[in-house]
Amino acid sequence: MKQFKTILAFELKYYFKNKIFVGITLFLVALIAVLMFFPRAKELLGKDTEDAKSEEAAVMLIAAGSSEDADSVKTAFTSAFPDYEVRVADGDLNSIKEQITSGDAECAFVMESPASYVYYVNNLSMYDGNTAIADEVLRNLCQANAMVEKGISPDEAGSILSVQIEHETASLGKDQMQNFFYTYIMIFALYMVILLYGQMVATNVATEKSSRAMEVLITSADPTSMMFGKVLASCLAGLIQLIVVFGSGFLLFNLNKSYWADNMVINSIFDMPLSLLIYMLVFFILGFFIYAFMFGAIGSTASKLEDINTSTMPVMLLFIIGFMVVVYSMSGGGVDSTLMKICSFVPFTSPMAMFTRIAMSTVPFYEIALSIAILILSTAGIGILSAKIYRVGVLLYGTTPKISSVLKSVLRA
């Protein structure tokens, strides 16, 4: 136990003295501070600019075969596009195009018939929804005109078309859209931390081995204490880093909460239930351990530091495949698919898959308990096996040994 504590303290000290570790942490905290204070700074510094911009609304041109048609479309579009100054074009098509390309107008609707038009815009944004709004407005306008022709008064036609449909949605389980953003961020954070710190564990072990320092360490310390000390130190370092980054984000968000009141994404990220946060920590720690043990074992079998990337590639691919399955299922709304349910009980994918299902679906408690139990047993088993591989691997030099030969040596030890 004393050896374990000594190794743990030494490895933690290494992380906290690492300039890259400290620099990345401070950079992320500073970046979050800038983002959280951005609306406040924008309001303080850009109030005059915003007022000036609001006074000069973008121009939308309307062109139709007759002035009456143009006026009716203009009236309908004025209420449908409150952010635009809707004008009737007073020139031909070439003049309209010139006004758009020069910036005098942002867009134009050239009506070929009451139900057909050409939409002109200089640079079409991928988020431009003007045509969808125009289609709905013109559809209502054509329907109103048809009703008037059938003898219905304009007021009656307007009241018929302006009927508002009211509805309420009662979710008996989880709201996937509300939980999507913070679930994705937590999964991505888990992905980055496991790959980053897992690779660091493998690199540290390989560095000690290549410098022959491992030969001295292995004679004075128990290999199991060394392996578990290194892995736990990297886990604590990653966990502390996440707590500092997300903790500062939570604090800064609450300082500027009123400025983010209308932002559904930001509010949902910082509105995570406590129970979900606890599940996230459990799956993060267990998921980190299981991969860090594998990275450590692989690092002990590498003869040269240059071999680390090649040696750890199978483990990285396994983790990346699990990550892609989870992200694809989240994006497609299939978090309860058969594949996700299977991944929820496979220890290499369950830290991400089961956490995603808990956050975005209703999962029976026995399934959560079973997944955690399998993950705990698998982590302990892989930890013990990795320690044995570590004890054998650190004394193997020359060509990188095959997995079969390492396992044979472990069984003989």
Side-chain angles (χ1 to χ4, degrees):
M1 190 66 181
K2 184 177 180 181
Q3 292 178 350
F4 171 75
K5 290 181 179 179
T6 302
I7 295 169
L8 176 63
F10 176 80
E11 293 292 333
L12 274 177
K13 188 176 180 181
Y14 165 78
Y15 282 109
F16 295 141
K17 282 189 173 182
N18 189 306
K19 293 181 179 179
I20 297 177
F21 175 84
V22 176
I24 291 176
T25 305
L26 294 177
F27 170 76
L28 291 175
V29 172
L31 180 62
I32 290 175
V34 171
L35 292 175
M36 290 296 101
F37 279 99
F38 179 74
R40 185 189 293 268
K42 184 179 179 182
E43 181 177 297
L44 294 175
L45 300 176
K47 190 172 292 186
D48 295 337
T49 304
E50 290 179 1
D51 292 341
K53 286 183 178 180
S54 62
E55 293 175 0
E56 299 179 4
V59 175
M60 175 185 290
L61 299 178
I62 303 296
S66 65
S67 59
E68 292 182 0
D69 292 339
D71 289 338
S72 63
V73 173
K74 176 190 173 183
T75 302
F77 277 26
T78 299
S79 58
F81 295 98
D83 296 332
Y84 285 91
E85 179 186 347
V86 183
R87 301 178 185 173
V88 176
D90 54 2
D92 57 10
L93 182 58
N94 290 330
S95 174
I96 293 173
K97 292 180 179 179
E98 288 177 3
Q99 291 181 66
I100 294 174
T101 54
S102 65
D104 294 335
E106 183 171 309
C107 59
F109 287 88
V110 178
M111 307 299 301
E112 297 180 344
S113 72
S116 175
Y117 66 84
V118 178
Y119 178 61
Y120 290 94
V121 63
N122 191 24
N123 296 308
L124 182 61
S125 169
M126 60 187 296
Y127 302 108
D128 192 328
N130 288 346
T131 54
I133 298 174
D135 289 350
E136 184 65 26
V137 172
L138 292 175
R139 185 182 298 109
N140 289 340
L141 194 60
C142 289
Q143 290 173 351
N145 291 335
M147 290 180 184
V148 171
E149 291 177 0
K150 296 294 184 180
I152 300 176
S153 67
D155 293 337
E156 291 175 338
S159 63
I160 293 173
L161 295 174
S162 62
V163 173
Q164 298 295 323
I165 305 300
E166 297 180 358
H167 76 276
E168 294 181 2
T169 301
S171 176
L172 303 180
K174 302 287 181 66
D175 185 346
Q176 291 191 359
M177 181 56 68
Q178 180 182 358
N179 299 353
F180 176 85
F181 301 105
Y182 61 67
T183 305
Y184 182 83
I185 287 177
M186 293 304 167
I187 293 297
F188 190 76
L190 179 63
Y191 171 82
M192 294 299 297
V193 169
I194 286 179
L195 287 187
L196 176 63
Y197 286 94
Q199 190 79 0
M200 288 179 70
V201 170
T203 302
N204 290 343
V205 172
T207 301
E208 290 175 354
K209 180 179 177 181
S210 62
S211 65
R212 299 282 178 166
M214 190 62 68
E215 295 179 3
V216 178
L217 294 172
I218 203 71
T219 59
S220 58
D222 179 53
T224 303
S225 297
M226 293 181 65
M227 171 63 81
F228 278 80
K230 288 177 179 294
V231 170
L232 183 59
S234 61
C235 180
L236 287 175
L239 190 59
I240 290 171
Q241 188 178 52
L242 285 180
I243 290 173
V244 170
V245 172
F246 285 103
S248 61
F250 181 77
L251 177 62
L252 294 170
F253 167 75
N254 281 280
L255 290 175
N256 300 277
K257 194 170 185 178
S258 60
Y259 294 89
W260 294 102
D262 298 329
N263 193 307
M264 183 187 71
V265 176
I266 299 297
N267 277 280
S268 68
I269 291 173
F270 292 99
D271 194 27
M272 178 185 289
L274 179 60
S275 60
L276 193 59
L277 181 61
I278 294 173
Y279 279 127
M280 189 273 292
L281 292 175
V282 170
F283 283 109
F284 167 81
I285 293 172
L286 293 175
F288 183 91
F289 276 157
I290 199 169
Y291 277 97
F293 282 133
M294 290 191 292
F295 276 115
I298 290 172
S300 67
T301 62
S303 299
K304 296 182 294 183
L305 190 60
E306 294 80 6
D307 297 335
I308 284 295
N309 290 334
T310 304
S311 301
T312 58
M313 186 61 67
V315 178
M316 293 177 66
L317 287 176
L318 177 65
F319 183 68
I320 291 171
I321 289 172
F323 174 78
M324 295 302 295
V325 168
V326 172
V327 171
Y328 177 79
S329 300
M330 287 176 60
S331 302
V335 294
D336 280 327
S337 64
T338 303
L339 180 59
M340 280 290 285
K341 289 182 178 179
I342 294 173
C343 290
S344 299
F345 301 101
V346 177
F348 303 113
T349 56
S350 61
M352 293 180 292
M354 181 55 82
F355 174 73
T356 301
R357 289 184 60 206
I358 294 171
M360 301 183 66
S361 180
T362 302
V363 184
F365 181 75
Y366 75 88
E367 290 190 14
I368 300 174
L370 179 60
S371 177
I372 294 176
I374 292 173
L375 191 54
I376 291 174
L377 294 175
S378 301
T379 302
I382 290 176
I384 295 171
L385 179 62
S386 298
K388 292 182 178 181
I389 294 174
Y390 179 85
R391 181 176 57 187
V392 173
V394 293
L395 299 177
L396 296 176
Y397 291 92
T399 305
T400 302
K402 296 181 180 179
I403 296 177
S404 58
S405 60
V406 173
L407 292 176
K408 287 180 182 178
S409 301
V410 169
L411 293 175
R412 288 198 300 268

